[in-house]
Amino acid sequence: MKYVFFFLLCFIITSAQKSIDLPDLIKNNGHYFEGEKGKKQSIKVTFSSVLMSTGISSLYDVEGSLQIGDETHKITGNVNYNQTETARVNDESIQIYSAVLNIENQGVFKGSLGLKLMPKLFNVIVFEGVLQKDKKKVAMHFDNSNQIMKYLESLK
């Protein structure tokens, strides 16, 4: 009986993961992602549009905005499923995407989007990479940790 229950649990988790809608995850329910540009500048990123690219099912075109202090910059770019990096992780609940985002007046962000899919709780979403403008490169990351913390605090 234990084995049947375990098999059903694994099947339910796997089925739930396959039904994840990437555009909804990237839009983050209209909430912003928080992070840092370099080590000193706090940023907030929102995505308003995430559409599957025509002809390529693993490529998504994204649009949104980046807020640094009082300044807001437009974001356009794409996110593409990276099968090789996902296979290296060896965890079916983690998916890796390559991300290239053109940020108005800031440069080009090249990096990855990592998703840790956790059905019925929350999904961990992390963008990590380098922002390059001219020959200057700056580390940049942003994630949905603010939403996760709010969720965990609501459980108290």
Side-chain angles (χ1 to χ4, degrees):
M1 185 69 176
K2 283 193 286 186
Y3 297 111
V4 172
F5 177 73
F6 181 72
F7 174 76
L8 287 173
L9 181 63
C10 290
F11 177 75
I12 290 169
I13 289 172
T14 304
S15 298
Q17 289 173 358
K18 290 180 181 178
S19 67
I20 297 293
D21 186 19
L22 185 66
D24 285 343
L25 288 175
I26 294 174
K27 288 181 184 177
N28 198 24
N29 293 322
H31 300 289
Y32 57 84
F33 294 96
E34 286 183 317
E36 288 184 337
K37 175 185 167 193
K39 293 185 179 181
K40 297 182 180 180
Q41 290 184 309
S42 294
I43 61 172
K44 293 180 181 178
V45 177
T46 56
F47 292 100
S48 54
S49 174
V50 181
L51 301 171
M52 188 180 295
S53 185
T54 53
I56 305 173
S57 63
S58 64
L59 182 66
Y60 294 84
D61 296 322
V62 299
E63 291 183 8
S65 63
L66 165 75
Q67 183 178 348
I68 303 174
D70 293 336
E71 297 179 16
T72 302
H73 307 276
K74 183 178 178 182
I75 296 175
T76 58
N78 59 59
V79 173
N80 191 12
Y81 180 68
N82 190 327
Q83 185 173 5
T84 305
E85 290 299 317
T86 299
R88 286 184 191 174
V89 175
N90 200 21
D91 182 344
E92 291 182 14
S93 67
I94 296 177
Q95 296 180 3
I96 308 293
Y97 293 78
S98 299
V100 177
L101 307 173
N102 299 304
I103 304 172
E104 176 184 55
N105 300 323
Q106 295 294 308
V108 177
F109 171 87
K110 290 184 181 179
S112 64
L113 159 61
L115 300 175
K116 172 73 174 170
L117 305 172
M118 302 173 72
K120 296 188 180 182
L121 290 175
F122 48 80
N123 297 303
V124 179
I125 306 165
V126 178
F127 286 84
E128 201 168 42
V130 174
L131 181 66
Q132 182 172 351
K133 184 174 182 181
D134 302 322
K135 293 184 181 186
K136 185 177 179 185
K137 294 181 180 182
V138 177
M140 187 166 135
H141 73 281
F142 48 98
D143 56 43
N144 68 332
S145 61
N146 58 331
Q147 296 331 109
I148 294 170
M149 292 307 295
K150 287 178 184 176
Y151 172 77
L152 293 175
E153 288 175 4
S154 73
L155 296 177
K156 290 182 180 179

